[in-house]
Amino acid sequence: MAVTAAVFWGVVPIVLKYLLSVCSIGTIIWFRFTTSFLVLAAVYAVKDPGSFRVIKKPPLLGILAGLALAGNYFGSTVGVDLTSPSNAQVLGQLGPLLLTVTGMVYFKERLSPKQKVGLVLTLCGFIFFNQDQLRGLLIDRATHVRGDLWIVFGSVIWAVFASAQKILVRRMTPQQANLIIYGVAALVFFPQVKFYEFGQLHWAGWALLCFMGANTLVAYGALAVALKLIQANQVALVVVLNPIITMSCMALLSAYQLGWLGVENITFVGYLGAGAMLAGVGLVVTYATQVGTS
């Protein structure tokens, strides 16, 4: 389930880069959350209508998780808009790393010695990649730094979301929790929707917008299940695979010189840093300590 979430999230920044050229940020995010909420609600309406009771009186923790995920989406989307897909994904891994710390402190989860080596290797790879990006900037530095700050904001608040959801799924099913989270987030972005933009989209824009809605439903559904089944630190460090997936897709697409995609300037040092991150993830997952979730 964690790997499924990582793969789906890996392509998100690239699709976002295109959609941001035809839609506003608020419209995109609202559509994603609304689509996910309606699909999940339709499933429950058929299979388990009683599950809708959680919407009548949602727990405060569910509302907090919804607000946090809304903030994460906004920060991440602005970051993609101002920088590049690969940069947004790599810097966004601060979220999973913070979730690892949360798992150790709050959920009393343990890291084995080899997992700690993997975590250090992941952090070193992150530093190498980020320094490579700063040295080879192809845009205004102030714009890039502003984008980085939005990504950091999104990453920090993602850790808040994941921690809240980890506690929430003890009291209800993962998809019941997501029903609350998607509903809250959709309401947050409703005032920012520009409905006229939907009428201006051609078939490709609609197809990608629908894909983003499905992406939210599948990826966060998988994450909720993963958090219920395994330790938070294991989930977090599997999700660090996101940048590798994004960078691989960007390398393939760069040959087509798509104007909306922009240009990324990643050198050997940057790719080396990404490889170190992947090796660190491999260590953490392979030598995971078998400790039950709290």
Side-chain angles (χ1 to χ4, degrees):
M1 289 295 101
V3 170
T4 297
V7 171
F8 270 77
W9 283 330
V11 299
V12 163
I14 299 173
V15 177
L16 266 181
K17 199 69 174 178
Y18 172 78
L19 286 175
L20 286 166
S21 68
V22 296
C23 282
S24 62
I25 292 174
T27 300
I28 295 170
I29 300 176
W30 175 82
F31 186 88
R32 294 180 68 183
F33 281 123
T34 301
T35 301
S36 300
F37 175 80
L38 291 177
V39 171
L40 196 55
V43 171
Y44 271 126
V46 174
K47 292 189 174 183
D48 186 14
S51 295
F52 284 107
R53 289 193 299 270
V54 298
I55 298 179
K56 294 180 181 178
K57 192 177 180 182
L60 290 177
L61 200 60
I63 296 173
L64 172 63
L67 293 174
L69 189 60
N72 165 257
Y73 267 48
F74 185 79
S76 300
T77 305
V78 174
V80 169
D81 191 28
L82 296 178
T83 61
S84 70
S86 294
N87 179 75
Q89 281 287 48
V90 174
L91 198 58
Q93 299 317 303
L94 286 174
L97 291 176
L98 287 171
L99 180 58
T100 301
V101 175
T102 302
M104 295 167 60
V105 176
Y106 184 85
F107 298 112
K108 308 302 180 184
E109 297 171 356
R110 298 199 302 269
L111 289 176
S112 69
K114 290 181 180 178
Q115 282 183 293
K116 292 176 183 178
V117 172
L119 182 57
V120 171
L121 191 57
T122 301
L123 287 170
C124 290
F126 170 83
I127 293 169
F128 272 102
F129 181 87
N130 194 47
Q131 289 301 310
D132 181 67
Q133 286 286 283
L134 291 175
R135 282 197 299 268
L137 280 179
L138 297 176
I139 61 173
D140 176 66
R141 187 180 183 88
T143 300
H144 185 90
V145 170
R146 187 154 50 96
D148 282 351
L149 290 175
W150 274 112
I151 297 167
V152 170
F153 166 77
S155 300
V156 171
I157 207 164
W158 184 87
V160 174
F161 152 75
S163 300
Q165 191 187 47
K166 176 75 173 175
I167 301 171
L168 199 61
V169 294
R170 296 173 178 171
R171 311 173 188 173
M172 59 185 68
T173 68
Q175 299 310 329
Q176 277 184 310
N178 281 340
L179 194 64
I180 299 169
I181 292 167
Y182 298 153
V184 170
L187 288 175
V188 168
F189 284 99
F190 182 75
Q192 300 183 43
V193 181
K194 298 178 180 177
F195 287 99
Y196 68 85
E197 292 178 337
F198 294 122
Q200 299 173 353
L201 290 176
H202 50 69
W203 69 268
W206 270 110
L208 291 176
L209 202 56
C210 290
F211 167 77
M212 292 298 281
N215 190 296
T216 299
L217 185 67
V218 174
Y220 276 96
L223 177 70
V225 175
L227 285 170
K228 191 174 183 69
L229 296 176
I230 62 175
Q231 297 179 31
N233 64 312
Q234 290 174 256
V235 174
L237 286 159
V238 170
V239 173
V240 176
L241 287 167
N242 291 351
I244 310 301
I245 297 167
T246 304
M247 289 165 62
S248 298
C249 292
M250 287 293 293
L252 291 172
L253 290 172
S254 63
Y256 295 95
Q257 298 181 340
L258 303 171
W260 55 266
L261 191 59
V263 180
E264 291 190 321
N265 187 27
I266 304 174
T267 68
F268 174 76
V269 173
Y271 285 114
L272 186 65
M277 290 180 65
L278 182 59
V281 171
L283 278 174
V284 173
V285 175
T286 302
Y287 296 102
T289 303
Q290 299 300 315
V291 179
T293 54
S294 300

